[in-house]
Amino acid sequence: MLKITMINGSPKAKDSSSEAALQALETVFSDGPLNDSQITEFDFRKPQLSVQQMEQLAEHDVWVLAFPLYVDGIPSHVLSCMAQLENYFKEKPQPQVTVYCLVNCGFYEGEQCGLALEMVENWCAKSGWQWGQGVGIGAGGMLPAVKNVPVGRGPKKNLGKALETLAGNMGSRTGGENIFITANFPRFAYRFAAEMGWRQQVKANGLKVRDLFLRR
Ligand SMILES: Cc1cc2nc3c(=O)[nH]c(=O)nc-3n(C[C@H](O)[C@H](O)[C@H](O)COP(=O)(O)O)c2cc1C
C-alpha cells in the first residue's frame, strides 16, 4: 500500500488554490485503481519544521508538494522547509521518497510555473529524493471558486486529464515530463474576473483603485 502525503505550501489557512488542487488529486485517487493508498495531509505554512514532523514525512513513499508561484519561484517559507529537510537527512539514512509537485500561478499560462518545477527537481537531485513529475497550473486563482465542479469537467477538464496522468505515475512511482495546463475558460474572462477581484480587495483594505497603479 502506497503511503502518500499531500503537502500544502500555501500560507493561506483555508480556501487556497493549492488546497483545491490537492483535493482534486485526492478525488482522482479515490476514484481510481489506487484507492487503497493511505493519504495524509500536511502543510508547509510556516517556515519551520520540527524534527518530529520531518520524521513523520520520512515515513511516506510519496510527497506531493503543492504551492503557489511567487515571483516565478518557490515561496520563501516553502523553500525554508525544503532546506531543513535537505539538511536534516544529510546525516541520516536517506528516506526513499518520490516527489511530485503541483505549482499553481495567477497568470493564465501554466508554463509560468516551469522554473519553479525545475527548482524542485534540482532540490531532489541535491537532496537524494527521487523526482517524479510536476504540473504547472495556470489561472490558479480560479480553483477555489470552482472547487465544487467535478474534476475533469467544465473549467477543470484539463486539470482532470493532467492529474490522471500524474496519479498513474505516482502509483508506479515513475517519472514523466512536466505538464502545463490552464483552465478551460476564456483568457479575457479570467483576466476580467481577476481585475475585478483586485479592485474589491484594494477597497476592502482601505485604499483606492488608483493605488493599484502607483509607481514609486
Ligand atoms: C508574493 C506573491 C508573488 C506572486 N508571484 C507570482 C508570479 O510570479 N507569477 C504568477 O503567475 N503569479 C504570482 N502570484 C500569484 C499566486 O501564485 C496565485 O495567486 C496563486 O493562485 C495563489 O495560490 P494559493 O491560493 O495556493 O496560495 C504571486 C502571489 C504573491 C502573493
Side-chain angles (χ1 to χ4, degrees):
M1 186 184 56
L2 205 58
K3 289 176 89 179
I4 302 170
T5 186
M6 306 269 192
I7 307 168
N8 184 347
S10 172
K12 297 174 195 162
K14 61 182 175 93
D15 292 334
S16 67
S17 300
S18 304
E19 180 190 29
L22 288 174
Q23 274 171 0
L25 181 60
E26 278 197 54
T27 314
V28 171
F29 255 93
S30 51
D31 291 348
L34 297 160
N35 59 5
D36 65 337
S37 306
Q38 185 189 310
I39 299 180
T40 54
E41 288 169 9
F42 206 86
D43 72 72
F44 283 179
R45 200 176 304 136
K46 302 263 162 65
Q48 219 71 44
L49 291 174
S50 66
V51 166
Q52 196 197 2
Q53 285 172 320
M54 289 191 279
E55 292 289 349
Q56 259 175 11
L57 282 169
E59 286 165 15
H60 293 83
D61 308 303
V62 168
W63 296 345
V64 184
L65 180 56
F67 61 82
L69 186 71
Y70 278 9
V71 201
D72 282 355
I74 302 172
S76 64
H77 59 282
V78 175
L79 195 62
S80 164
C81 293
M82 290 162 67
Q84 281 166 68
L85 282 166
E86 179 186 329
N87 287 331
Y88 181 73
F89 287 107
K90 218 181 256 170
E91 317 291 333
K92 302 209 158 19
Q94 190 73 17
Q96 300 302 302
V97 175
T98 314
V99 179
Y100 296 85
C101 188
L102 305 177
V103 183
N104 93 87
C105 68
F107 269 77
Y108 186 73
E109 294 80 11
E111 285 78 3
Q112 290 287 332
C113 305
L115 291 176
L117 289 173
E118 277 182 38
M119 291 174 200
V120 177
E121 184 176 354
N122 286 338
W123 168 71
C124 288
K126 190 157 174 255
S127 315
W129 327 118
Q130 187 190 325
W131 169 246
Q133 186 174 31
V135 183
I137 305 170
M142 247 184 92
L143 286 179
V146 294
K147 69 174 178 210
N148 294 326
V149 174
V151 190
R153 298 266 184 83
K156 286 157 85 174
K157 198 165 170 211
N158 293 341
L159 182 69
K161 225 169 130 197
L163 295 183
E164 267 175 30
T165 305
L166 190 86
N169 286 330
M170 280 166 64
S172 48
R173 296 182 67 176
T174 47
E177 289 288 308
N178 289 338
I179 304 170
F180 299 100
I181 56 157
T182 191
N184 302 81
F185 191 75
R187 190 180 193 278
F188 78 89
Y190 173 72
R191 207 179 137 176
F192 180 77
E195 285 172 2
M196 237 168 59
W198 291 330
R199 285 182 164 79
Q200 278 165 4
Q201 278 181 45
V202 84
K203 283 183 194 156
N205 284 286
L207 296 166
K208 299 242 160 33
V209 170
R210 67 165 181 270
D211 293 324
L212 282 170
F213 304 96
L214 272 185
R215 282 169 187 259
R216 293 210 171 93

